Structures are given as C-alpha cells and as structure tokens.
Amino acid sequence: MSTPILEVRNVTMTFGGLTAVDDVSFNMAEGEILGLIGPNGAGKTTLFNVINGVYKPTRGNVVFRGRDITGLPPYDVVRLGLARTHQIVKPLNEMTVLENVVVGACFGAENLGLEPAQYVAEEVLEFTGLLQMKDELAGKLNIALKKRLEVARALAANPRLLLLDEVLAGLNPSEVAKMLDVIRSIRDRGISILMIEHIMQAIMSLSDRIVVLNFGQKLAEGTPDEVANDPQVIEAYLGDPEMAKRILEEEEA
Amino acid sequence: MLQIFSSVMDGLLIGLVYGLAAIGLTLIFGVMDVVNLAHGSIIALGMFFLYLFFGAGLHPYLSLVPVAILGFFFGVIVYLIAVKRIISGPPLMSLLSTFSVSMIIIGIGTALWSTSPYNINFKVETYNILGYTVTSARLIAAVAAVLVTFGLYFFLYRTVLGKAVRAVANNREAAELMGIPSQQILAISFGIGTMLAMLSGALIATLFPFTILSGGVYELKSFVASVLGGLGNPTGALLGGIILGLIEGSVAPFIQISWTNVIEFVIFVLILLFFPTGLFGGRK
C-alpha cells in the first residue's frame, strides 16, 4: 500500500479543562473521500483546525503525504497542498469573486504570479459554475454561491487534499445536488477529500469510508454501511440503543 | 478675485499633500484596525530625514527616495516592536502603544534638533500662469503626492503582494487560511503607511519651515481628511485631503489663519455626526 495522503496519529486537543478531540487516529488513502460525522460538539471542526494548522494539537501528530505538518501555520499548510473550506463562509467581501479566487491561486501550492493565477481562477470558476458572476463583490453573493466560492478558492490553491467543512449546510435540495456534482468532479480530478457533513444521505452516498466522532473520541470507522449499522453510532445519534434498534427493525419491516 | 483664485489653487495643491499623509493613516487603519497615533511624529521625522539628506548634499527631490526607503523600514521596525504583539488586543492597547512610539520619536528628536524651526533652502522657480503665481516647490509637491498615490493603487490592485494586503484587510483569518502569511503582510502594510507619512512630511518640508513638533498639526489634518473620506478608504482620504486644502484656501483670504483649524474641526464634528462612514463610504 502506498503512503497515505493523510495520517492523523493520536491527536488530542484540550482547551483548558475541556478535551475537544481525544486521542483520535485514522489514515486516508490517496483519492479517497472520507466522511467525518458525529453529533454537534463532537470535535469535528476542531479536528479540521488541528489538521490545517489553526490549532497546534496538545498531543499527537498530523502527517501529510509522509511529512509531519503538526504545528505548521495554516498558510504553510496550504502551500503544501492541503486546502480547506469553512463551515461559516469567509469570503473577502470587498473583493470580486474573481479576485478572491486569484488570491487563492497566488498563495496556494503553486505560488503563481498574477497572470497565470488569473487563468487558473477563471478555469476554477468555470468548473464551479461561478464564471458569470466573477465581477460581483464576494460579499453580495447569496449563501449557496458563497459556499461554492469557498470551494473555488480552496481549489485554486491546487490542493492534493481538500477539507470540506459542511459545504452542504444551509443549501436547498437543488443546490445540494449541484454541490454534490462539484464534489464528485473534484474527486475525479484526483483530489482526496475529507468532509464534515450533517446531511446523512449525502455523506453516505459520497464517502468511500466514514469516521464517526463522539465527545472527541473516535467511535467507529468503516464503510458507510458498516457505520450506519453500528449500534454505538446509532446510540450516539439517537441516545437510546433499544429505541434505535426498534426504529431500525421497523424500517426493515 | 484673482487673489481668491490663487488661494484656492494653493489650497488644492497642498491638499494633495495632506491627502498623501491621510492615505498613510487610513491604510494602516484599514488593514489592521490600528489608529496610528505616531502618525504625526512620523511625518515630522520625514521632514528631518529630508533635512539630513539635504544637509549631506543631496537635492531635496532626490532625497525623497532614501526618505521613502528609510520610512518603509522604520515602519516595519515600529510594527515589529510596538504593534505586532498587541495587534489582536483591544483598541486602547494599540492607541497607547503607538502614542508611546510618538513620545519616543519626539523625545529623541527634541534632544537631537531641539524644538527650533528648520527649513530646506533650495532654489525654487516661480511661474506665473494667467496671473496666478505658483512656486515650483508647490507644484512638484502636489505632483509627487499624486504619483505616489497612483503607485499605491497600482501596488494594491495590480500586484500579488497588493492583493494579499487587500485580502488581509478584508479578513485576516481567511487570508491566512488561503496561504497568506498575515504577519508579514501586516508589517509590510505598516511600512507602507509609514513611508507615505514620511514622504508627505518630506514634501511639506520643501514648502514650509518645520520643527520636530510640526507633525501634530498634520496628524490632525490627516484624521480630518481620513474621516471625511471614510476611514480605511485610500481614495476617500485623498479626496478628503483635497477638500481640506480647498477649504483652507477658500477661507484664507477672508479670515485670520488661526480660524482655519476651528472651521476644519467644526466640519470634522459635523461629518462624524451626520456621515459617520465618511462622504465616500468607509471600509465597512
């Protein structure tokens, strides 16, 4: 087996007395879509922040393409080819859509000059379906378009691994469908994807494998089917295993 | 009539230089939300740097180049020493910190040059255009201010580094997550803001006598011009400077010069009351 694109090794992150991520380990293979799920407050976004360098983990390591990136600042992590989007979108409001993506390309893995960055940006905008509004101010977009802009900006950095933090949240069903298409075509370009998502149907159909977090700990890991039928996972989501079992049986009947 | 016209023209030309100073102030505020209280003393320092290079035998306009370079590095150093650590702290901290820098500059300046006035003595041509008499110094100062402003715009909108500055100004956190080392960009921005302040000081020094305390007046003018144009908006600051210059020019023939400050600050208060984001829109 080739080197995993991402290895999370025994990562623990504490804030004062609170342990947000507790001894979590998993590997991701090149080209894989790995879903990261768990109830609210399970530590998913914190784990993302550890992976891309916003937080330095209290213990443990993050290894990206065989290189230990633990504690590297986010701007260096991007340059190594690990980009991310945010649950709460962070566009550069007073710059145009195109400029937002150009900045992403200039300071991404390729470190492009302004002209090639422009070219890359237009291509990425076309790919994400934002090309018609490239001259709009980013702050004026609606939430669905802002989410797509997040993805476009991250893609412009030419990443090997893309972290997607709830890119589907707040979108209506047709927007969700569009975004799913975008995500699939990103994978088809050979970019590995680690995604947090609450829309179960979407993540179950997209992911090759799923990691479940609960109270900061890894609860389960496996294919979508394995995870969906794991009693512990069901308990974490629904609280009562007996009831969960009944619901499952009812569904099967 | 001609006298009023001359006065207004003089006001316009000096207004461009005020505008340049105001851009320095507003750029730093726009990028990092720091109100730089060392702005005035940095302007005064620009005057004295010009004086030093001039004293060393360099032509005043040629001296602008080393003043600009020195200004940039001076700003970067001030940022690293006095601003970097408190950049995310409450606004009062950066006010106190930059105020301390101002006191240090004025203290050292007073020790070196006392508070007596200096001036730059060089040959100035006088032109007469349709009865309006203007000195080459005033014209060149205005043209230089405009050129530097164009240069700044080119930098901000047409270069990768400039885009990074604007990205950091928009959202520091997001910029960092997009691969921009924000601390370096902040240091560069502070350097540029300081450079503009020093250049404006140097240009003023080619026009009027100055002391190490002269910066205070221009700092206040910079505040008025920035607020007029909307804090954080460089174009607005330039226009604010021009408006300020025009006001000064048009009231000068009618009342005593000491009244101009009163009028300027009455306008300042009115703008704050009725157009809190400035006439041309602020950054937010």
Side-chain angles (χ1 to χ4, degrees):
Chain A
M1 193 184 148
S2 60
T3 19
I5 188 154
L6 181 75
E7 297 166 65
V8 173
R9 293 181 189 157
N10 306 98
V11 164
T12 300
M13 183 77 222
T14 56
F15 298 99
L18 176 85
T19 305
V21 177
D22 189 2
D23 200 28
V24 170
S25 303
F26 61 84
N27 284 354
M28 249 186 99
E30 186 102 43
E32 189 175 32
I33 296 187
L34 183 68
L36 189 59
I37 65 170
N40 286 327
K44 304 180 296 288
T45 297
T46 305
L47 186 57
F48 263 31
N49 281 334
V50 169
I51 293 173
N52 89 320
V54 175
Y55 302 142
K56 189 178 187 316
T58 317
R59 273 187 301 282
N61 296 86
V62 179
V63 178
F64 176 60
R65 302 175 83 192
R67 178 176 169 179
D68 191 336
I69 60 164
T70 321
L72 277 188
Y75 51 83
D76 283 338
V77 172
V78 180
R79 293 189 169 204
L80 293 175
L82 197 167
R84 84 175 269 194
T85 71
H86 294 84
Q87 185 180 359
I88 297 154
V89 292
K90 298 177 197 288
L92 306 170
N93 283 325
E94 279 154 53
M95 294 166 84
T96 63
V97 168
L98 180 65
E99 278 182 310
N100 265 268
V101 183
V102 165
V103 170
C106 284
F107 290 91
E110 303 277 326
N111 221 345
L112 296 174
L114 217 46
E115 268 183 40
Q118 192 100 359
Y119 182 77
V120 168
E122 300 219 346
E123 198 259 342
V124 168
L125 285 175
E126 168 123 58
F127 178 72
T128 47
L130 286 169
L131 196 59
Q132 312 91 287
M133 39 214 105
K134 65 175 179 161
D135 295 323
E136 303 270 332
L137 283 184
K140 300 237 163 88
L141 299 182
N142 68 25
I143 188 70
L145 295 176
K146 275 183 184 163
K147 293 237 168 186
R148 258 196 267 167
L149 177 59
E150 281 276 311
V151 176
R153 227 166 45 167
L155 276 182
N158 192 16
R160 302 296 309 153
L161 171 61
L162 187 60
L163 309 186
L164 299 176
D165 193 348
E166 295 206 29
V167 283
L168 301 176
L171 304 188
N172 68 34
S174 79
E175 291 163 349
V176 166
K178 265 186 229 155
M179 188 64 101
L180 289 180
D181 285 342
V182 171
I183 295 172
R184 284 199 189 91
S185 27
I186 292 171
R187 193 251 308 263
D188 293 342
R189 291 180 153 203
I191 298 170
S192 316
I193 295 172
L194 175 58
M195 61 187 297
I196 297 177
E197 204 43 78
H198 275 299
I199 302 178
M200 280 306 140
Q201 205 190 348
I203 199 150
M204 290 295 174
S205 71
L206 268 179
S207 307
D208 301 312
R209 284 188 311 130
I210 286 180
V211 168
V212 188
L213 290 186
N214 191 29
F215 294 115
Q217 291 173 326
K218 186 169 88 173
L219 197 62
E221 179 177 357
T223 64
D225 271 347
E226 286 166 9
V227 166
N229 293 312
D230 188 318
Q232 271 187 300
V233 174
I234 297 163
E235 182 184 352
Y237 268 91
L238 296 174
D240 181 351
E242 288 305 314
M243 189 169 84
K245 217 173 184 178
R246 268 207 314 279
I247 293 172
L248 274 181
E249 280 161 6
E250 275 169 27
E251 268 190 6
E252 276 163 23
Chain B
M1 193 57 215
L2 188 65
Q3 192 207 351
I4 298 171
F5 173 74
S6 300
S7 177
V8 170
M9 278 307 290
D10 280 353
L12 172 68
L13 294 178
I14 193 73
L16 287 165
V17 181
Y18 295 163
L20 183 63
I23 292 173
L25 186 74
T26 217
L27 181 77
I28 290 174
F29 178 81
V31 175
M32 59 195 91
D33 284 332
V34 166
V35 175
N36 181 15
L37 288 185
H39 187 66
S41 52
I42 286 169
I43 291 175
L45 207 53
M47 298 169 171
F48 277 90
F49 281 164
L50 185 80
Y51 175 78
L52 290 180
F53 286 113
F54 177 66
L58 220 53
H59 190 276
Y61 295 124
L62 224 55
S63 307
L64 290 175
V65 177
V67 168
I69 295 168
L70 217 59
F72 177 79
F73 286 107
F74 186 82
V76 170
I77 291 167
V78 167
Y79 176 81
L80 293 178
I81 293 174
V83 184
K84 186 180 176 196
R85 263 168 267 257
I86 45 106
I87 191 82
S88 304
L92 185 63
M93 294 180 80
S94 58
L95 282 178
L96 289 173
S97 174
T98 53
F99 185 66
S100 315
V101 171
S102 173
M103 296 317 277
I104 292 167
I105 294 174
I106 288 178
I108 294 174
T110 308
L112 289 177
W113 298 297
S114 78
T115 52
S116 42
Y118 287 73
N119 64 340
I120 309 281
N121 262 319
F122 67 112
K123 197 170 175 303
V124 175
E125 306 285 335
T126 311
Y127 305 110
N128 196 310
I129 307 161
L130 302 171
Y132 164 56
T133 315
V134 61
T135 64
S136 60
R138 219 173 247 265
L139 274 178
I140 291 172
V143 169
V146 172
L147 287 181
V148 172
T149 308
F150 273 118
L152 179 72
Y153 266 85
F154 181 83
F155 169 74
L156 287 178
Y157 286 85
R158 292 276 178 269
T159 67
V160 172
L161 201 56
K163 286 206 191 276
V165 169
R166 287 168 58 221
V168 170
N170 260 250
N171 188 332
R172 197 181 308 158
E173 202 189 338
E176 194 146 310
L177 294 163
M178 289 165 75
I180 298 173
S182 68
Q183 283 298 341
Q184 289 172 26
I185 298 295
L186 291 177
I188 290 170
S189 309
F190 204 92
I192 293 171
T194 305
M195 179 179 85
L196 298 180
M198 282 211 189
L199 276 177
S200 69
L203 291 174
I204 291 166
T206 63
L207 304 176
F208 309 120
F210 51 90
T211 75
I212 190 68
L213 301 175
S214 299
V217 184
Y218 299 105
E219 174 169 318
L220 290 175
K221 287 190 198 300
S222 301
F223 274 114
V224 178
S226 309
V227 170
L228 263 170
L231 261 179
N233 173 351
T235 328
L238 185 71
L239 293 173
I242 294 172
I243 292 173
L244 214 57
L246 287 176
I247 291 170
E248 280 186 18
S250 40
V251 300
F254 303 104
I255 51 176
Q256 278 186 334
I257 208 82
S258 49
W259 277 94
T260 48
N261 273 345
V262 177
I263 293 171
E264 276 170 18
F265 282 89
V266 167
I267 291 171
F268 182 66
V269 171
L270 290 178
I271 292 285
L272 282 178
L273 282 176
F274 297 110
F275 304 96
T277 59
L279 296 178
F280 310 105
R283 190 171 53 92
K284 275 173 188 155

